[in-house]
Amino acid sequence: MNQRLLAKTFVELADNLVADFDLIDFLRLLTDRCVGMLGASAAGVLLADRDGELRVMAASDEQVRLLELFQLQNDEGPCLDCFRTGAPVVVARLNGEADRWPRFVAAAHRSGFGAVQALPMRLRDEVVGALNLFHATPGPFEPDATPLAQALADVATISLLQQRTAHRSTVLNEQLQSALNSRVLIEQAKGKLAERRGIDMEQAFTTLRGYARAHNRRLSDLARAFIDDFEALPGLRS
């Protein structure tokens, strides 16, 4: 494992302890680093909205985003169990869980995954979502992989809950609802850019994210500007 990248990741996650950070980009950083450091094939993040319903907030690629959506639509899978119990769900061989999650296991196999780690995003007794790592090859995980993934999830959760006050729950709900609204804009912008350039959705997201970072803009603000066509956005519209 790249210890320098690991240390950098913890610093980056903790460095978002500010009042106004880009939550979508922050969560995508979390999923990308989990794939890059922990040997996962893909990663996703589910967060609860103001009504306690889980939503897909980030995914390392389009395939796992669709699998996460499948879990929510069918109300079945390790990530939902993790969120509801507040405990990790670690399954080294998904084919042994067909009775427990029949539809999810079949869908995961179709997507090329044979194992999963679902880690709660929690602070004390408050669970706000789940970090989910998917592996193509079934089999035992590295001994340190799950505790390290949980540590990353814990640091990310602290960043989400950094505005703790007497009204912390209200603040968090507002923040997550705003992020959910931003996610809709970003998905629309991805679709528009993908159609315009003839690229896939993952390439479209990478392009938007890169442009936002290069121009020091929030990803959601860029998505709105691109959808509404009220800015030239040189290099993006061409």
Side-chain angles (χ1 to χ4, degrees):
M1 183 179 298
N2 188 326
Q3 297 297 324
R4 181 173 297 177
L5 180 59
L6 175 61
K8 180 183 177 183
T9 299
F10 276 108
V11 169
E12 286 176 319
L13 293 177
D15 194 43
N16 282 288
L17 298 176
V18 294
D20 183 27
F21 69 95
D22 193 326
L23 181 57
I24 301 297
D25 193 52
F26 168 76
L27 293 175
R28 180 57 186 258
L29 169 69
L30 175 63
T31 61
D32 287 351
R33 289 300 170 80
C34 284
V35 172
M37 296 189 307
L38 302 181
S41 303
V45 173
L46 302 178
L47 291 181
D49 63 16
R50 65 181 60 176
D51 298 318
E53 296 295 324
L54 283 175
R55 307 291 183 186
V56 180
M57 295 303 298
S60 60
D61 59 48
E62 187 68 11
Q63 187 176 46
V64 79
R65 186 182 76 86
L66 295 175
L67 183 58
E68 296 278 42
L69 284 173
F70 182 89
Q71 286 193 81
L72 298 181
Q73 291 165 353
N74 289 274
D75 194 33
E76 173 187 297
C79 308
L80 274 73
D81 288 2
C82 171
F83 173 71
R84 289 165 178 167
T85 64
V89 177
V90 180
V91 181
R93 298 184 184 278
L94 273 172
N95 57 10
E97 302 292 339
D99 291 339
R100 185 179 180 186
W101 308 305
R103 288 169 292 185
F104 170 78
V105 169
H109 284 160
R110 288 195 299 269
S111 297
F113 300 123
V116 65
Q117 297 161 283
L119 296 312
M121 297 185 69
R122 66 178 181 225
L123 183 65
R124 300 183 182 91
D125 295 330
E126 184 172 5
V127 182
V128 300
L131 169 64
N132 313 305
L133 310 184
F134 298 89
H135 301 259
T137 304
F141 302 118
E142 291 292 329
D144 295 334
T146 298
L148 182 53
Q150 184 65 68
L152 289 171
D154 291 345
V155 172
T157 305
I158 291 171
S159 287
L160 292 176
L161 297 173
Q162 55 87 24
Q163 296 185 55
R164 293 192 299 273
T165 65
H167 304 290
R168 185 183 67 190
S169 295
T170 300
V171 172
L172 176 63
N173 286 339
E174 290 174 354
Q175 185 185 41
L176 295 188
Q177 192 59 46
S178 176
L180 286 167
N181 296 337
S182 296
R183 185 77 211 179
V184 172
L185 285 174
I186 293 166
E187 290 299 318
Q188 291 174 346
K190 281 168 53 180
K192 182 175 180 177
L193 184 61
E195 181 179 7
R196 178 171 294 183
R197 292 196 175 182
I199 57 180
D200 64 32
M201 295 286 277
E202 184 62 23
Q203 290 172 317
F205 178 83
T206 300
T207 300
L208 289 167
R209 188 189 192 193
Y211 191 95
R213 288 186 168 187
H215 293 81
N216 195 29
R217 300 187 60 161
R218 289 173 61 87
L219 186 56
S220 55
D221 292 340
L222 175 65
R224 183 183 296 278
F226 183 69
I227 293 167
D228 293 344
D229 287 320
F230 61 73
E231 288 186 46
L233 298 177
L236 188 62
R237 297 195 188 281
S238 59

